Amino acid sequence: KAGVTQTPRYLIKTRGQQVTLSCSPISGHRSVSWYQQTPGQGLQFLFEYFSETQRNKGNFPGRFSGRQFSNSRSEMNVSTLELGDSALYLCASSLVTSGRIDTQYFGPGTRLTVL
Amino acid sequence: AQSVSQHNHHVILSEAASLELGCNYSYGGTVNLFWYVQYPGQHLQLLLKYFSGDPLVKGIKGFEAEFIKSKFSFNLRKPSVQWSDTAEYFCAVNVYSSNTGKLIFGQGTTLQVKP
């Protein structure tokens, strides 16, 4: 099976711009979660989607948003970029079995640099 | 708020030495526990997980972890490390009752194995 794929792998943007990142989960995985990884804050949960619904959201400002499509692919959007948004953004997918979420498998990430 | 603490931020060992990385979490209810590894230039990979049952779990590449509920701990061990184990290791917790994909990560431990 193909793993979690994320596009693009690298992005350079300037302050004030917006950006959209894409994630394709492992086939059959219906839950997609997003994380931000920085040297200072480590890995922090952004949000999780299941069946096109956001089920949980981390402590991030409203500039961070996401969505999930009917094929389980997900996108996250960051508007009005700030320098502090420079990070590795990771997507993870998991099976949901009998209503319970299983192990999350991570993609390679999108490295976002804000200048 | 739930949190995960990894006691060792940077560990340096010689090949064949034994490894133990500490992980403690703060939550009194049922949790699912994970150790992930991030090799240089690679994405996060699952080492092992604990959902229920035998508190001693075995993972890939000779790693194992023991869940001690009374101590809220899930320490990672390997009897003899190899140079190829050089990586960053993350402990993560998922709160069972939330039934969402939110993983709470520790700050990570960088392991450097000297040949």
Side-chain angles (χ1 to χ4, degrees):
Chain A
K1 263 188 183 178
V4 177
T5 57
Q6 293 186 244
T7 56
R9 293 292 310 278
Y10 301 91
L11 265 179
I12 300 176
K13 293 285 187 180
T14 56
R15 278 181 297 174
Q17 286 187 308
Q18 75 164 25
V19 67
T20 299
L21 313 181
S22 181
C23 171
S24 292
I26 293 170
S27 177
H29 287 195
R30 293 167 57 201
S31 168
V32 174
S33 299
W34 289 88
Y35 296 84
Q36 182 195 65
Q37 186 176 20
T38 60
Q41 299 297 316
L43 280 150
Q44 294 189 289
F45 173 78
L46 279 157
F47 27 65
E48 185 229 359
Y49 286 87
F50 174 68
S51 291
E52 302 177 64
T53 301
Q54 186 183 92
R55 296 204 297 184
N56 205 339
K57 183 173 166 54
N59 190 24
F60 280 83
R63 300 185 297 106
F64 291 81
S65 63
R67 59 178 176 168
Q68 187 181 35
F69 302 95
S70 59
N71 61 358
S72 296
R73 191 176 69 84
S74 177
E75 288 181 347
M76 69 163 280
N77 184 277
V78 188
S79 62
T80 319
L81 284 166
E82 300 177 0
L83 294 177
D85 297 333
S86 294
L88 182 65
Y89 289 89
L90 297 173
C91 168
S93 75
S94 63
L95 281 171
V96 178
T97 307
S98 301
R100 296 227 62 90
I101 194 162
D102 207 295
T103 305
Q104 290 183 40
Y105 295 91
F106 285 80
T110 294
R111 172 75 63 187
L112 172 65
T113 302
V114 182
L115 302 175
Chain B
Q2 300 98 18
S3 65
V4 177
S5 174
Q6 292 182 238
H7 315 300
N8 318 98
H9 296 296
H10 198 149
V11 173
I12 302 173
L13 295 173
S14 298
E15 275 192 315
S18 64
L19 169 72
E20 180 158 3
L21 301 182
C23 172
N24 285 87
Y25 63 93
S26 64
Y27 180 71
T30 302
V31 293
N32 294 329
L33 297 156
F34 305 84
W35 276 97
Y36 285 90
V37 61
Q38 194 169 34
Y39 296 104
Q42 296 187 29
H43 60 277
L44 271 173
Q45 299 172 37
L46 179 71
L47 263 182
L48 47 76
K49 63 184 179 183
Y50 174 80
F51 281 13
S52 64
D54 188 344
L56 184 62
V57 293
K58 294 190 185 302
I60 61 172
K61 304 187 180 186
F63 286 91
E64 65 178 31
E66 184 176 14
F67 170 50
I68 303 179
K69 190 174 181 179
S70 61
K71 294 185 178 180
F72 301 94
S73 71
F74 190 55
N75 292 353
L76 180 71
R77 299 194 292 248
K78 185 171 185 179
S80 176
V81 295
Q82 301 172 317
W83 176 79
S84 58
D85 293 324
T86 295
E88 190 158 17
Y89 293 80
F90 294 92
C91 179
V93 167
N94 175 258
V95 173
Y96 185 83
S97 61
S98 75
N99 196 25
T100 71
K102 180 178 180 179
L103 283 175
I104 304 164
F105 282 89
Q107 281 295 96
T109 297
T110 300
L111 171 65
Q112 183 182 352
V113 179
K114 293 183 174 180

